[in-house]
Structure formats: structure tokens, C-alpha cells
Amino acid sequence: MKDETKCLRAGYTPKNTEPGVMPIYQSTTYVFDSTTDVGDVFDDPTKALIYSRFANPTVMAVEDKIAALEGGIGAMCTSSGQAASLLSILNICKAGDSFVSTSTIYGGTVNLFAFTLKKLGIECIFVDANASEEEISAAFKPNTKAMFGETIANPALAVLDIEKMARIAHAHHVPLIIDNTFATPILCKPIEFGADIVVHSTTKYMDGHALQVGGVIVDSGNFDWESGDFPELTEPDESYHGIIYTKQYGKMAYILKARMQLMRDFGCYPAAHSAFLLNIGLETLALRMERYCANALTMAKFFSECDAIEKVSYSGLEGDEYHELAKKYLPKGSCGVISLFFKGGKEAAVKFMDGLKMCSNEVHVADIRTCVLHPASATHRQLTDEQLLAAGVHPGMVRFSVGLENVEDILADVKQSLANL
């Protein structure tokens, strides 16, 4: 099936007389015929459903749909995108390990990697994604277990050279984990370019309607965990009767361990109703991404000609520093988010945002409604000046997330606010 069809048909296929719309299984528990049956499932949770902290039929249908869209062999939804990023690392890293990440990533992820994981004894080594392969390779250590990056960085909008990162990661026998939130599988499928694990904040474009917070981890099934140093997967798990995930589950080892071990212990699984709402968003994802990209390109061209704006970051624009990479990785469009750099710095940026009448000033992005944010004052507020620069965030930057309103109405609101500068 093509993506448009997968958005509607993958994950749930009703049988004779069953509901045409994916039902909500609003239950925490599942009934067994015998005590033996319960015990068997606790020996191997893949045999049946145990409890909705692990899995739920509604959520599983959404997981299957997202895995199909990304081209993975399995997926696990989480209660937020941050939870997905966290578990993607913890699934293979323990205290004393390290991993490499590009510096141009979401500010919340920087906090997670640089501060919280550091407290757990896991080191994140930040690198410049635009550095040479040799320079990036030099950052790897004997205890490095993964490499992390974003397809389209939030909010710098830098486009990642995924194939380059995959070469580097695989040369060091570690997996490449890609946050594909802004691109979605409609615009880019990182697995096709060598990524091994894909994560998303489903709160953004996948949901699209600002209805629920969620995340997902997708496993490509392509990485050979026995080729590197991954005792978490290749040695017995004493919390599951000594099971060895690579021996028991083969290509599904990574994603099943994440569910059986980490989701069991952290319990950051989404509710069935949240998954139902997410599925509604997924059904129109392909259509919405087309409109987001069209509206954003129109707005980016307009902003690029505004005297008040020093720079526009949008890889869909010819002349943008990431335009060539976008032609390779994002041939269908560069998402709906634009980064604007105002000549007057923070004062001009804030005055522009506060002058908007229709476009919303909110802590969100990738919504059906146009919204704006000043990253340095909000999502990246906890970062140092050095970290802000490394993440591509400047005082005069405004993250402009183009929605699905008629583009003429978006333009009218922007023009009246710019007139006040």
C-alpha cells in the first residue's frame, strides 16, 4: 500500500461484522482461563496481553500503523516524545556508557541528554552535524552505544545528512537513532537511508490537532546487535528468567526488550483513548503534510523578502544552506515550520509575535492552526548561551509553525503585525 492508504488501512482490519472504525479498548485488564495461562504470559509477554501498562489492543493497532508507515518491523507507543527518546537510549545504555548526539536537536532533548541522563551515569557527547566524518568519528569512545540526530532539527530546521550519520554509526558498530518528528514518514523515511531506530513526538504532526501528548519508537529490525557490545540484548535478563532477547526474538529483540523490560518498569504507556485520537490524526497525515508544506513555502518566500527579517531558515527555499540535503531527504516538502531571525533581536521578535491577531502564541508546534513561539524564552530557556548557539537558537528567532488556514489569511495577519515594527 502507498502511504495515503496506509494512513487509513494499516494497523486495523475489521473482520466480518466488526466495527469499521478502530474501537477503543478502554480496559486495564485481560481475563485468562487459568492460573497456568497467566504464568505462561509472565514467562513470555508476547504470548498474550497482560496489562495495559505493557500493551493495549487500540494502542497496538496504532503502533502497527506507524511501523508500516516508517517501514519498521515493530513499534511501541509512549506517553510522550520525551519518553520515546529516553527509552530509545536506556534500552541499550546503562551507567558508564556513552552515546553521541548532534547538537542541533530539540531543547527538551538537550536537557534530557545533557543533565538527566548524566545523573544516571550515561554520557552524551554532542557533535556538530556539519563536521566531517573524521571529526564526528573522533567523538566516539569504546563505551559509546548509539548515535542520535533529528531529520529536521527543532527549531534550527537543519536537515540531517542521515546516510552520513549512518556510515559513521555503523563504522563504530552502533545503531543510528533518528527523531523524525518534523518530517514524519510522509516526507522522509529514515530507515531507507540507514537509520536503525526512529522516534517521534506523536504530539506534533501525527496527531496534528493538539489533542493528546504521545511518542513512539520504531525498530527497523536491521541492526545486528550481536555485532557490537550490547549485553543488554545479548546476555541473560535476570528479570525475565534469564531470557536472551537476541536469541529468543531475533530481529525483534530491541523493540520487544523495550516493551518487556522498560515499559514494564517505567509504565509510560499511552491510554487507549489517546491512541484513538492519535489514529484520527494519522488518517489524514498524508493530506495534511501536503498542505502544511505548500502553505509554509508560500510564507517562507514572503518572509525572505521582508525588511524586518534578517534571515529565514526553511530548507524548501532555494539558497537555503540545507536546500540540497532537502532535495535528497525531503523531496515532497520541508514540513510546515519556519525559523525567522529578526533584525531587531528579541524586542522585534516579541513585538511581532504579540501583534498577531489570528496566529496563536503558544508552546506547541506542528498544529493544524498557525502558531508562533520564541524558543530562547520558552522551549530552550534552560540552555546556556553556548548551548543555544549550538542548537541554532538566537535571541531574535521566532519559530513560525504554519497551519492549515487559508494562506491568504495567514499572510494578512502577518502583514498587519509586521506593519507595527
Side-chain angles (χ1 to χ4, degrees), residues 55 58 173 189 214 246 262 325 352 364 391:
T58 305
H173 306 288
K189 300 181 191 297
T246 51
L262 296 185
L325 282 175
F352 164 72
H364 193 43

Side-chain angles (χ1 to χ4, degrees), residues 301-313:
K301 289 178 178 178
F302 170 80
F303 284 130
S304 66
E305 297 175 355
C306 290
D307 292 337
I309 297 173
E310 181 178 347
K311 178 185 175 184
V312 176
S313 287

Side-chain angles (χ1 to χ4, degrees), residues 126-143:
F126 289 100
V127 297
D128 180 356
N130 295 324
S132 68
E133 293 190 30
E134 292 73 22
E135 290 176 290
I136 296 174
S137 289
F140 283 72
K141 299 180 178 180
N143 66 354

Side-chain angles (χ1 to χ4, degrees), residues 50-121:
I50 296 178
Y51 194 59
S52 286
R53 194 177 77 231
F54 290 84
N56 170 282
T58 305
V59 185
M60 291 168 70
V62 173
E63 291 167 343
D64 289 345
K65 175 174 289 189
I66 295 173
L69 285 167
E70 283 288 8
I73 61 168
M76 181 181 73
C77 283
T78 61
S79 55
S80 71
Q82 284 291 84
S85 295
L86 172 65
L87 297 192
S88 73
I89 297 296
L90 290 184
N91 205 33
I92 49 178
C93 289
K94 62 183 185 303
D97 289 335
S98 69
F99 67 100
V100 174
S101 173
T102 58
S103 57
T104 45
I105 57 175
Y106 169 56
T109 310
V110 172
N111 288 329
L112 171 64
F113 288 175
F115 297 101
T116 302
L117 286 183
K118 182 179 180 180
K119 293 179 181 179
L120 300 180

Side-chain angles (χ1 to χ4, degrees), residues 361-384:
N361 192 334
E362 59 185 61
V363 186
H364 193 43
V365 68
D367 192 1
I368 53 174
R369 304 163 191 86
T370 299
C371 54
V372 294
L373 185 78
H374 186 248
S377 299
T379 54
H380 292 64
R381 192 180 187 90
Q382 283 74 35
L383 272 59
T384 65

Side-chain angles (χ1 to χ4, degrees), residues 182-184 187 203-210 281 284-300 314 332-338 364-370 400-405 407 410:
F182 271 13
T184 80
L187 302 183
T203 318
K204 310 305 190 299
Y205 283 123
M206 283 188 169
D207 171 283
H209 300 74
T284 61
L285 180 62
L287 286 171
R288 288 187 290 107
M289 292 311 295
E290 183 178 340
R291 176 62 67 88
Y292 285 125
C293 292
N295 279 0
L297 185 57
T298 297
M299 294 306 302
Y314 187 71
K332 295 182 180 179
S334 297
C335 86
V337 184
I338 307 166
H364 193 43
V365 68
D367 192 1
I368 53 174
R369 304 163 191 86
T370 299
F400 195 94
S401 179
V402 183
L404 302 185
E405 303 95 343
V407 73
I410 303 172

